[in-house]
Structures are given as C-alpha cells and as structure tokens.
Amino acid sequence: MRYLPLTPDDRKAMLEKIGSASVDDLFRDVPTRARLNQPIDLPPHQGELEVERALAALAAKNVSAGSVPSFLGAGAYRHHVPASVDHLIQRSEFLTSYTPYQPEIAQGTLQYLFEFQTQVAAITGMEVANASMYDGATSTAEAVLMAFRVTRRKKAVISGGLHPHYRDVIATTGEAMGADLVIAPVDPEGIADLLQQIDDKTACVVVQNPSVFGHVADLTPLATAVHAKGALLIVVVTEIFSLGALKPPGAMGADIVTAEGQSVGVPLSFGGPYVGLFATREKYMRQMPGRLCGQTVDQDGRRGFVLTMSAREQHIRREKATSNICTNSGLCALSFCIHMTLMGEAGFTGVAKLNHAKAVQAAEKLSALPGVNLLNKAFFNEFTLELPKPAGPIVDNLAAKGVLAGVPGSRLYPGEARAANLLLVAVTETNTDADVARLVAALAGEI
Amino acid sequence: MLNRQGRPSAPEAGSAGAGFTTWTGHRGLAHEEPLSFEQGAKGRTAVDLPEIPKVADRLGGLAREGEIGLPGLSEPQVVRHFVRLSRQNYAIDLGVYPLGSCTMKHNPRLNEKLARLPGFADLHPMQPMATIQGALELMAQLGGWLSKLTNMPAIAMSPAAGAHGELCGLLTIRAALEARGDKRKRVLVPESAHGTNPATAAFCGYTVDPIPATADGRVDLEAFRKKLGSDVAAVMLTNPNTCGLFEREIIEVADAIHAAGGFFYCDGANFNAIVGRVRPGDLGIDAMHINLHKTFSTPHGGGGPGSGPVALSAALAPYAPLPYVVQEGDKFRLVEETEGEAKPFGRLKGFHGQMGMFVRALTYMMSHGGDGLKQVAEDAVLSANYIMAALGDVMTAPFEGPCMHEALFDDRFLKGTGVTTLDFAKAMIDEGYHPMTMYFPLVVHGALLIEPTETESKEALDEFIGALRHLAERAKAGDTARFTGAPYLAPRRRLDETAAARQPVLRWTPAQ
Amino acid sequence: MSETKYTEDHEWIRVEGDVGTVGITDYAQGQLGDIVFVELPDVGKELDQGDEACVIDSVKAAAEVYAPVGGEIVETNDSVTDKPGVVNEDAMGEGWFFKIKIADPAELDDLMDEEAYKAFVEGLA
C-alpha cells in the first residue's frame, strides 16, 4: 500500500515495544459480538492507474459545463479562474495544514484570512466579516439566528425573491429553534412589498439582491422600515461579482450581508465545496458565528494574526455557543482571496462590467424572440424569461442538443404554476457571442 | 518599533541570530510579507479583459459609486505574496502533525488530480439529469462504500462538515420522534465530548444534560442509566472516545437508550481508528457522521472545506434531508422534493453536498480497498500504542491502555517544573513539530492528545518520540526558559491574544 | 456598615441598605485568565436568585455570572465593558459588574461569609 509506510518488520518491532502479541490484542476493548471476523465485502486496493481509469470513466459520463454553451446560474456561476489560483492553493503549506490553532506556525493561513475578511467587508460595504461559512445558504440561516440573538425576537420575514434552497435551509434550522417564519409568496416579477409584514416582533427581514430571478432593487426604503421596528435587514448576494457593478448592501442599510463566494476563485464542482461570506456592523461583531481572525503583536512586538473572540465558539462555550460550526471553508476562502487579489479594483469592477454588458446584449436578443418576455427591468448578469410554454422540457431538449440553456423555474419551484414557463438565464464573461447566438437559435427552434 | 510593514527593527534577544540586524527585516529565506492591501499601485491588475461592449446599462440607477478599496497587483506580485505567506505555515507535508482528534494524515495527490477532472469540477449543480449521470453515480458509489463500512443502510450526503453532520443527525432523530408524536427535550452528552456535540444539541432546541466519566476514561454506564427517561431524545457519544479509548460498554449504552425510546447518535470523528474492523451498525448506532476529511483524507486546507455524510439506521432513513440520489434501472436521479414514502426533515445546504470532497474520498477508498482500509485502522492504533509505550516512563498517562488511535497524556509529569502543557507544546515548535492537541479533552488536567495516524513511518515516529523524550527530560532538569519563552525559532513568537480580543482589529483599514 | 457575602459560583455581593453590589472573586478572575469581554444586564431587568446576569469571556474560557440574590438591576459598571482588564486587576473593587435592589434579604442567608468562602476555595485545590 503506497500510503502506508509500516513494514511487517516495523509492526513486529512496535508490538514488541508495546508488549502485545498481536494487533488484535490492541482491539480487545471492542465487545466480542461487534468484532468482524471476516473482511468487509469491498474491492481490494488498487494502483493509481486503475483508480484514475475508474474515476475518469465516471467523469466521462457527465457533460461538463465548459464543453458546451452554458447559461446556468441560480446560485452558482461559471467564471474564468486564473491559472495561478489553483497553483497557489495546492502549495502544501496551504493545502495540508489545519485550522490555525498554533498561530506562531500558521501566519500564512491567518494573514490570508485577515486579507479575506478585509476584502469581504470592502466589497459588501460592511464593517467586519468572518473567516467564512460553508456556503451562502448556511451563512444566511446563521444570519437569521444571529438576528434572533441580537433582537431577542424570533420572527423572520423571508422575501419571495430569495433563492428557494436558501429559504428551505432557513426553514429547516429556524423550525428547530422554534422560529416564527413568514415566507412571502414566490415573486418572479420582483414587485412584492414586504413592508406590511414587519412589526415590532420582527427580528429580521431577509432579502436577496439581485433576487433569484435577477431583479436589482434599491433596498434603502426597506432598510428604513426595518430599522424603524428595531429589526435587522439581512441582504443575500448569490452572485458576488454583482458587487463590482452595483451599490453594495452596506450602502443601502444592510445590517448583515451573507453571500455565496463561489463565483470568485471556486469551481462549480457540482454544488460544493463553496464558500459562504458573512459580514456585519461592528456593533454586532461579538454575535457573529464562525471563526474570526484578528491582528495583534507577538512577544517581540512584531505584527501577527490570531484566531480571536473564540469564547463565542463551540469548543469553549459548548451548548451556549453562537453556532455549532467548527471547520469552515478555509481553502475556498483562500481561492477567493487569491482571485480577488489578482483582479484588484480594476479587474473586479472590469469583470463585473463585462458580465453586465454581455447579459444586456443576450437579454435583448432573447427577448426579441416571438412569445418570449423579459421579466426584468433592472438586472446584473442573470435575468428571467417567460416562455410561451413550460421551460423544463425545453431545457432538457436543448441539453440533448448541446446547449445548457439555463435553470427552468420548475427546477427551483416544482409544482408552482407561476414558475413553470420561466427560464433563468445567466451570462458571464465565459460566454462568447457565438454561445449566445447558439442559445438564441436553439431556443427559437423550441417555441 | 514596527515599520509600515510590521517588520521587526531587530531580532530579539535570546533567539537564533540575536544581535544580527537586517535592513529589510527578512532573514535569509524567512521573508516578512506585508498585507496585499499595503502593496500595489492604482490601476494595476493581474487579469486582462477583452474590450467591454458598449451598452446602455440596466442596473436600475444602482451602479456602484466610488472606490471599493482593493489593491492593484500584477501576477508576479500576487504569486510571490502567497508563496511567501505559505512558507509561514506548518503542514503535514512538512512533518509529523500529531493533532489529536483532527487526524492529520497524508493527503494523496491523486485525489487532488481526479477532483479537478472537468467532468467533476466543471459541473453546474442545476444541470439536467441526463448530463450528470456520472456525478450521481459517484455519489451513489461513495454512499455504497460508506454503507458497507458502517453496516448502516442509508447515507445522507449533503452535510458540509462534521458539525453539520451532527446537525443532520439530530434533526433526523427529531423528525423521527415527532413523526410518532413524541416530543422530547433532553440530549445526553458526555463531559469529554467535542464542543460541537452540546452546541449542536442546543442548536436543535434540546437541553444538554452531561454524563460523567468513570475513572478509566469512559462513560459511566450507571450514571447514564439514571439520566435516561421518556424525555431523552438521544445520547451523543464519540467512539472511540475523545480520550482515545474504545467505549467497552457501548452495546449496553445502545440497548439502554433504545429501551428508553431514544436514539443513539455517534460522533464519528474517530472512525479512522476502527474502519474495516468494527461496523458502527453492529454496535446499535442509529446515526453517525463521518468526517471525510479525517478518515478518508480529504485535505484540511487550513480549516476546511470538510464533508460530513451521515450514516443512518433503517428507523431513521426515511427522515434524511433533501436532496438525495436514487437509482432507477441503470439511471440515477437526484430527488430534490418530498416524494413517495420519504419524509425528509428539510434541506441543509444550498446544493447537493461537497462533490469535490466526494471525488477525493472515493479515490482514497478505491486506492486502499477493503483490505487497505482495515490496515489503516490497525496501523493508526499500532502507532498510537507505540508512542504510549515509548513515552510511558517520561510522561504520564491518565488511563490504562490499550489506547485506540490517540495517545493521551496529562500534565503530572510536569508537576513542579514550572512548565505548563502550553509551554511544553510551544517548545515542540522549536524542535520542528506542530504541537499535539492541548487541554482537550477537558476531563483530563493539562491534556496532551497525540494522534500519529497510519501514514508516519517508524523512523518518523522514533524521531518524534526522541524529541518528546528530550523535552520531558529538559523540563525535569529545570531548563525552564526553553519552554516558557518558546517558540524562539518560529516565524512569530507567542502572540498577544488578550490584546487581540480586547480591542479587536478584524480588517485592514487605510488609516493604519 | 456593609457586609460581603459569597456564592459557590464565585460571585461576591456587598450589601449596603437594600442594594447589593455584585462582582466575581479574585479567585474566579485568576481561574478565567485575561478577561476580554463583559456583557452586562440591562438596568431595570428583574432577576431571580441564581438567574444568569452577565456573560464574561476570557481568552480561553467563557463564564456566566449569576444573581446571588433576586431583585432589580439598578446600575451597571460600564467601565468593565470598556476596559475588561479592570476585572483582573481589581475584581473585588473597581471590577464590579452591577448593583441589584434586593427583593428578599432572607436570600442572603443562603450565601457564605468571607471565612466560609476561603475554606470553600481551599477545598477546591
């Protein structure tokens, strides 16, 4: 076995030192009836070549998004990731280190987490950010729980423009906590008004911008109404590149911003691992979930970084912790941080503008098709088309013809009549003009 | 004094190179690296973009105004920045990383290579089923391996890490209880448990009731039985436990909780000690998460991403969360809504699970095979017992062996030396090692928990043992300053955690 | 004439008239280590004896401060939130947390006097 260094002679010598006759003897605390007397029915070990062959065969059964024109979004976006990102995250010292519990020999991890926190706070327009969560959905559910702690209330108002998976994750964790959840109806037109739902029992309002249907809205009036009732506004961003072009949530009165950071540096990878972003106001800092990296000095006065405010966390506070989270998304946070550093101000805003311009061009061409209606007035790089017939079968047909046309409303909202004819289309810098032309032509053939 | 980039003006007294000053603050290959925000120039970038098409914007009057404040660096600067940062980290690829409870074993590079195949890495989670058959088949295969290794019929794949798996397990249990109209209030958790256990139980709205430990480091079965009642939803037990010991009376625990109408949750963080030799299903366990980043060696990546699939008994299987994969003939399908007999408790994550980790874990399993996985457990246990035996005369162990995959010591051997567990651990850094887990489990005074794993050679173990013997002897010989001032030779000496927490600075600001 | 009483959770209460000043003992601050954060109760809050009144974080630990007796919070010491280190420096004096209007003076009888507390702490070693 190529990964197991001990030889039969080593094992013999070690058993002698221990004073045991056999390895079985070391397992003597296992109850007799639970001891396996025969090998488990699994294939034997294999060499690299055989394993690679088997996995490559599985991979070959999939249509990778980059091999065809692809316009899928709805919470995960295909962007170009510079080659140096993947090279750098595979440095042994990043890839094979643990959570930085010993800061003297983990300054590399800690410094990039500090840079990551600074980047996240800057692009969201907030004051502080944590060192990452599992993904955008869990980050949002944690934000709702944080709002409960801050306000000592248990009612959350959920917008009908919030990604339905995020809505479901909030409902799953919220119900366990005994939360009162007011879930607004699905809102494809982006016109619903949440103001009547907010009262003095409301802990928070959760709203996504751009919404799952791509609508961009000014949240300032909502923030004012939320704050008037002593509640918090949680703004969710699933396409982080939108913040390169749009006014950030922090400038519109958000109290907590949660986001999916996958777009920057992290491959689609069939839905995970991704990286949840979490940012808030400084006054709520100690109510945040997750790891926080802070600046300090060492014994000799040199600047250094440590994990800080740990007393909020499960390993110290146990059942009174702000969250049960332990491991987060360290390496994906590094990918995000490197990609963001490579882009810088000019690159990040440039990619965002490019995405928007390409999406505007595509939306014009697609909505010019007979019977196709664009639902969005304002959008970033994703918009919703209303088709003259159900989008689900069309998407399947187009996939068979080598075009991944977008996410049908029925996939997000099964059984919801209003969603059946909707198609969510995302356009990024990876889509060429030829890709768009193929989508337009293919869709024209289906309607 | 610090200059703008936080470099020391002189090496400190008592450290290697004391009295030797450099103009840059660097010391040979040890470079001091400023923050990216302290570097760069306006307008510089490491990405080249095509010309942006001229269109009238449709941002609804909400275009961003003003600067974000991101620095501008070129690719060579960025590469150098992160390479320099990387060199300030310890890593399993550099040396023994004996963090008990964390399982820092070798990360095979084949796993990395295969996770990057475009057929896995470049798949969108919402692609039509016909275009993702291989991905669904891979999830089913991984679930199949886990099911055989645990002898438990169902695997919930979506949890993103161990603690997320605990949440999944407890919510499944809660749903099963509620389905029979049985609302229960308490979850029993041993005092020695990982902090995530009580935190998870509280997260699910349960009251946490601690179970004391016996003098031999195991759950006190009598005390446990006394705490049982019709309001106990579950017991959460780690096995092998956090003291590195197998719970001898685990079957009695299972029988007792089942007799009381509750469920048995097992924290599977230490599954690597028994994989291929003991199947949790045979112990009466109802739900157990498996940290793929521990037992099946997906890289820890500086703190994630992890992956924590949960094995479930037949009684709990119907309540597993959405989404999940089903096989219909030779086709696979992702179930994203409630259907048929299933009663899923809800959804835990944005999409289907940590696919990138699934590929790595399955690669690891297929590489080892059934025979190799059993060898993994045996070598891990053998190595820990070897360390225990080789250090027993200079360090002190709170419990009698054999241990499982971890060797646990307490701080009695340091009594009267003026050296604490923390000092002892920091001195290991100067010897070129990452310290072991300290002060955990909480039930042992000044705990030092060593997990060598199965991927250390005997030569590496012997050198590690030699270093610990040397340090234990130096402590007893009164060489106190070696410990209390340690580390001397790391990129940083001890950091002021009090200042960091009292006046938190969580981001760079231009005014600094 | 004031008197100081102690709890088994290492709180002290100094009684003057019907108001008690509450803090943690020097022994407790030593056990916690450097205190980095204190969350005080709201003035006006009513507590029963043994209710959680404040939360204290140190670098490595977290602890709750319980009300030694029931009553209403009438004043809090904001200087400990600004400079939590004062609890380490002067736990029995400047590092007090809150003043409570004692609802039932008989509850003071449940507490230890200084001598009994000293013996209690020695018993813990």
Side-chain angles (χ1 to χ4, degrees):
Chain A
M1 263 308 303
R2 59 189 178 276
Y3 306 129
L4 302 178
L6 298 183
T7 64
D9 284 348
D10 289 337
R11 293 185 184 114
K12 193 159 160 268
M14 290 162 75
L15 281 169
E16 265 166 33
K17 175 81 192 176
I18 296 163
S20 280
S22 68
V23 171
D24 288 341
D25 184 45
L26 301 176
F27 284 86
R28 63 179 180 256
D29 286 337
V30 177
T32 322
R33 67 179 236 224
R35 291 180 200 167
L36 276 180
N37 296 317
Q38 61 211 26
I40 294 178
D41 171 30
L42 287 166
H45 66 276
Q46 298 182 74
E48 277 210 1
L49 183 60
E50 290 72 30
V51 177
E52 181 164 348
R53 209 174 268 152
L55 271 288
L58 282 177
K61 292 183 187 178
N62 300 315
V63 178
S64 67
S67 65
V68 293
S70 171
F71 298 90
L72 294 147
Y77 300 86
R78 187 165 190 277
H79 289 283
H80 175 72
V81 179
S84 51
V85 174
D86 198 40
H87 169 78
L88 288 167
I89 69 163
Q90 289 196 73
R91 291 275 309 183
S92 288
E93 302 91 330
F94 289 136
L95 186 74
T96 75
S97 60
Y98 195 65
T99 303
Y101 288 140
Q102 299 289 340
E104 300 89 347
I105 47 173
Q107 285 299 304
T109 298
L110 287 159
Q111 183 167 330
Y112 83 65
L113 290 177
F114 189 78
E115 293 178 2
F116 171 83
Q117 289 175 180
T118 306
Q119 290 171 339
V120 172
I123 60 174
T124 55
M126 302 300 281
E127 287 154 6
V128 290
N130 77 7
S132 82
M133 308 295 284
Y134 305 135
D135 69 1
T138 59
S139 189
T140 305
E142 291 269 13
V144 171
L145 300 184
M146 176 173 143
F148 291 171
R149 290 193 295 276
V150 168
T151 60
R152 298 190 181 128
R153 302 173 185 173
K154 281 206 161 179
K155 177 178 163 184
V157 176
I158 314 292
S159 149
L162 179 66
H163 195 295
H165 294 174
Y166 286 50
R167 176 200 66 195
D168 292 349
V169 176
I170 293 173
T172 300
T173 43
E175 275 161 19
M177 300 282 287
D180 174 13
L181 300 176
V182 178
I183 297 173
V186 184
D187 180 24
E189 284 83 19
I191 49 168
D193 187 354
L194 297 171
L195 298 180
Q196 314 86 290
Q197 306 288 353
I198 307 164
D199 57 27
D200 51 17
K201 291 203 172 72
T202 306
C204 60
V205 173
V206 185
V207 58
Q208 181 178 329
N209 200 41
S211 80
V212 68
F213 298 102
H215 302 289
V216 170
D218 184 1
L219 303 173
T220 315
L222 180 63
T224 307
V226 168
H227 294 155
K229 296 289 184 191
L232 306 189
L233 179 65
I234 299 172
V235 178
V236 180
V237 180
T238 63
E239 168 53 296
I240 202 71
F241 268 110
S242 67
L243 296 183
L246 289 169
K247 196 170 171 179
M252 297 196 275
D255 298 290
I256 305 175
V257 179
T258 60
E260 176 52 72
Q262 172 270 325
S263 284
V264 175
V266 182
L268 287 170
S269 195
F270 199 49
Y274 288 174
V275 52
L277 313 185
F278 194 109
T280 188
R281 303 282 174 200
E282 194 165 353
K283 62 181 168 182
Y284 303 130
M285 180 169 70
R286 290 182 192 270
Q287 294 295 341
M288 285 173 96
R291 308 262 189 226
L292 292 170
C293 172
Q295 179 181 309
T296 186
V297 290
D298 80 352
Q299 215 168 313
D300 297 327
R302 293 178 293 181
R303 180 172 70 183
F305 303 92
V306 292
L307 291 179
T308 191
M309 290 192 274
S310 313
R312 299 163 299 112
E313 293 185 68
Q314 46 76 26
H315 61 282
I316 292 179
R317 184 149 275 158
R318 301 174 77 86
E319 68 267 27
K320 290 181 177 162
T322 54
S323 165
N324 74 338
I325 193 169
C326 177
T327 287
N328 51 25
S329 290
L331 204 68
C332 298
L334 175 62
S335 300
F336 180 102
C337 183
I338 297 170
H339 190 183
M340 192 60 84
T341 309
L342 285 162
M343 291 189 289
E345 183 93 21
F348 180 56
T349 55
V351 173
K353 285 186 184 115
L354 182 58
N355 272 252
H356 182 59
K358 282 181 163 283
V360 169
Q361 287 181 324
E364 281 166 6
K365 292 190 176 105
L366 288 163
S367 59
L369 289 172
V372 175
N373 183 22
L374 174 68
L375 293 191
N376 308 68
K377 286 195 185 70
F379 59 89
F380 170 61
N381 70 350
E382 188 168 20
F383 48 83
T384 300
L385 299 176
E386 189 172 23
L387 307 182
K389 54 188 189 183
I394 294 178
V395 166
D396 287 341
N397 292 345
L398 293 189
K401 292 176 185 163
V403 178
L404 297 173
V407 178
S410 54
R411 180 84 187 262
L412 292 170
Y413 299 97
E416 175 82 42
R418 293 176 70 199
N421 289 11
L422 304 181
L423 178 65
L424 277 64
V425 178
V427 186
T428 75
E429 76 286 355
T430 63
N431 295 115
T432 62
D433 291 347
D435 288 346
V436 174
R438 270 191 71 188
L439 173 64
V440 173
L443 193 58
E446 292 288 330
I447 55 178
Chain B
M1 282 301 291
L2 297 177
N3 65 18
R4 179 174 161 271
Q5 299 180 341
R7 294 171 186 171
S9 53
E12 65 289 349
S15 72
F20 192 97
T21 313
T22 60
W23 179 78
T24 55
H26 304 319
R27 293 212 235 166
L29 284 178
H31 291 95
E32 289 291 324
E33 179 63 10
L35 294 165
S36 61
F37 288 86
E38 293 161 340
Q39 305 182 41
K42 206 170 169 143
R44 195 184 282 159
T45 178
V47 296
D48 292 322
L49 299 176
E51 200 181 329
I52 297 169
K54 298 257 180 298
V55 297
D57 91 64
R58 298 194 61 165
L59 297 172
L62 291 166
R64 186 186 262 281
E65 290 159 10
E67 288 197 359
I68 301 169
L70 298 172
L73 286 79
S74 60
E75 180 173 303
Q77 290 178 292
V78 176
V79 169
R80 187 172 289 165
H81 176 65
F82 286 100
V83 169
R84 283 182 172 186
L85 288 188
S86 75
R87 291 166 54 94
Q88 299 179 26
N89 271 3
Y90 194 84
I92 182 71
D93 285 354
L94 283 170
V96 179
Y97 208 133
L99 264 183
S101 210
C102 302
T103 314
M104 298 300 289
K105 59 167 83 170
H106 173 66
N107 299 135
R109 288 312 191 275
L110 179 65
N111 306 2
E112 294 305 306
K113 181 182 177 187
L114 299 186
R116 285 169 171 79
L117 291 175
F120 298 130
D122 196 15
L123 281 191
H124 190 283
M126 304 292 274
Q127 282 182 216
M129 297 298 157
T131 66
I132 52 171
Q133 286 298 305
L136 299 179
E137 187 177 344
L138 183 138
M139 287 172 73
Q141 272 194 28
L142 178 62
W145 278 75
L146 293 175
S147 188
K148 281 200 173 149
L149 291 168
T150 56
N151 195 27
M152 294 170 76
I155 311 288
M157 298 293 285
S158 66
H164 208 214
E166 291 175 29
L167 180 63
C168 175
L170 280 205
L171 289 177
T172 310
I173 288 169
R174 195 168 172 274
L177 287 168
E178 285 186 358
R180 68 182 197 214
D182 194 358
K183 286 215 172 195
R184 295 185 172 218
K185 293 259 178 292
R186 272 189 302 148
V187 169
L188 306 182
V189 181
E191 287 167 342
S192 60
H194 296 116
T196 50
N197 294 178
T200 303
F203 203 91
C204 295
Y206 288 114
T207 308
V208 177
D209 198 351
I211 319 169
T214 58
D216 68 351
R218 287 157 172 102
V219 161
D220 183 332
L221 187 63
E222 281 322 300
F224 166 70
R225 283 196 171 122
K226 283 194 190 114
K227 296 225 172 201
L228 282 173
S230 60
D231 65 332
V232 173
V235 59
M236 295 180 89
L237 214 63
T238 308
N239 190 43
N241 70 23
T242 58
C243 299
L245 303 170
F246 198 92
E247 291 284 353
R248 292 187 200 108
E249 296 175 310
I250 188 160
I251 293 178
E252 288 80 356
V253 169
D255 290 345
I257 186 79
H258 290 150
F263 289 96
F264 187 175
Y265 186 87
C266 181
D267 179 330
N270 296 338
F271 187 46
N272 57 308
I274 57 172
V275 61
R277 279 199 69 112
V278 180
R279 299 181 302 179
D282 297 339
L283 300 170
I285 288 160
D286 294 296
M288 182 182 93
H289 75 262
I290 300 159
N291 307 72
L292 295 185
H293 48 290
K294 293 182 182 177
T295 302
F296 301 109
S297 191
T298 70
H300 284 75
S307 181
V310 178
L312 298 168
S313 63
L316 293 179
Y319 306 96
L322 295 165
Y324 53 89
V325 178
V326 291
Q327 185 169 4
E328 293 160 343
D330 59 350
K331 295 267 185 269
F332 295 86
R333 185 167 62 88
L334 191 69
V335 178
E336 294 174 291
E337 286 299 308
T338 304
E339 65 176 41
E341 304 286 293
K343 306 173 197 85
F345 69 75
R347 173 182 274 276
L348 281 174
K349 197 171 173 300
F351 296 107
H352 333 309
Q354 307 283 65
M355 183 65 174
M357 301 297 127
F358 298 162
V359 180
R360 290 171 174 89
L362 185 63
T363 303
Y364 177 90
M365 287 178 188
M366 291 174 72
S367 294
H368 284 81
D371 53 337
L373 290 174
K374 180 164 176 271
Q375 193 67 56
V376 160
E378 291 178 357
D379 284 358
V381 169
L382 179 64
S383 296
N385 277 284
Y386 181 59
I387 285 176
M388 190 76 109
L391 292 170
D393 59 330
V394 290
M395 292 170 71
T396 44
F399 306 119
E400 285 231 358
C403 61
M404 297 304 286
H405 60 306
E406 291 164 323
L408 175 61
F409 297 96
D410 59 26
D411 62 359
R412 282 174 298 160
F413 76 102
L414 294 171
K415 197 160 187 184
T417 62
V419 175
T420 65
T421 288
L422 179 72
D423 299 330
F424 190 81
K426 296 294 185 194
M428 287 177 65
I429 294 174
D430 287 328
E431 295 289 343
Y433 289 106
H434 193 286
M436 63 289 273
T437 292
M438 314 174 279
Y439 300 106
F440 182 84
L442 306 176
V443 292
V444 170
H445 200 271
L448 299 134
L449 187 65
I450 299 172
E451 180 172 9
T453 83
E454 72 281 3
T455 60
E456 294 305 333
S457 65
K458 182 165 179 296
E459 303 89 288
L461 292 174
D462 285 337
E463 188 180 285
F464 176 73
I465 288 163
L468 283 185
R469 291 190 69 87
H470 170 76
L471 287 177
E473 281 156 12
R474 292 315 307 158
K476 283 169 192 166
D479 190 1
T480 318
R482 168 188 296 272
F483 297 90
T484 53
Y488 292 98
L489 305 175
R492 284 291 178 274
R493 299 193 60 209
R494 284 193 212 181
L495 289 127
D496 188 344
E497 298 190 33
T498 303
R502 280 184 181 162
Q503 281 99 32
V505 178
L506 303 183
R507 62 175 292 186
W508 178 84
T509 45
Q512 276 180 304
Chain C
M1 190 52 202
S2 69
E3 76 176 315
T4 306
K5 295 265 203 158
Y6 299 83
T7 71
E8 291 189 358
D9 297 314
H10 309 285
E11 290 100 6
W12 55 262
I13 177 165
R14 189 168 300 131
V15 183
E16 279 162 287
D18 62 350
V19 172
T21 303
V22 177
I24 59 168
T25 65
D26 197 54
Y27 173 81
Q29 72 77 20
Q31 290 291 306
L32 284 168
D34 286 351
I35 289 165
V36 296
F37 177 66
V38 179
E39 189 183 315
L40 295 171
D42 295 334
V43 171
K45 189 170 180 181
E46 301 264 356
L47 295 170
D48 288 334
Q49 186 175 31
D51 280 359
E52 184 179 313
C54 326
V55 178
I56 333 173
D57 292 354
S58 71
V59 172
K60 300 287 180 212
E64 287 78 38
V65 177
Y66 302 101
V69 295
E72 182 193 339
I73 305 290
V74 291
E75 191 183 338
T76 56
N77 182 11
D78 294 334
S79 71
V80 298
T81 40
D82 299 340
K83 286 207 168 93
V86 74
V87 182
N88 295 113
E89 286 149 22
D90 190 9
M92 302 292 296
E94 292 298 308
W96 62 277
F97 293 143
F98 58 88
K99 294 187 179 184
I100 187 164
K101 190 166 183 213
I102 301 168
D104 177 9
E107 285 180 353
L108 290 165
D109 300 341
D110 304 339
L111 309 180
M112 291 177 273
D113 62 16
E114 186 168 349
E115 213 164 292
Y117 178 71
K118 259 190 191 159
F120 172 71
V121 168
E122 273 163 27
L124 296 175

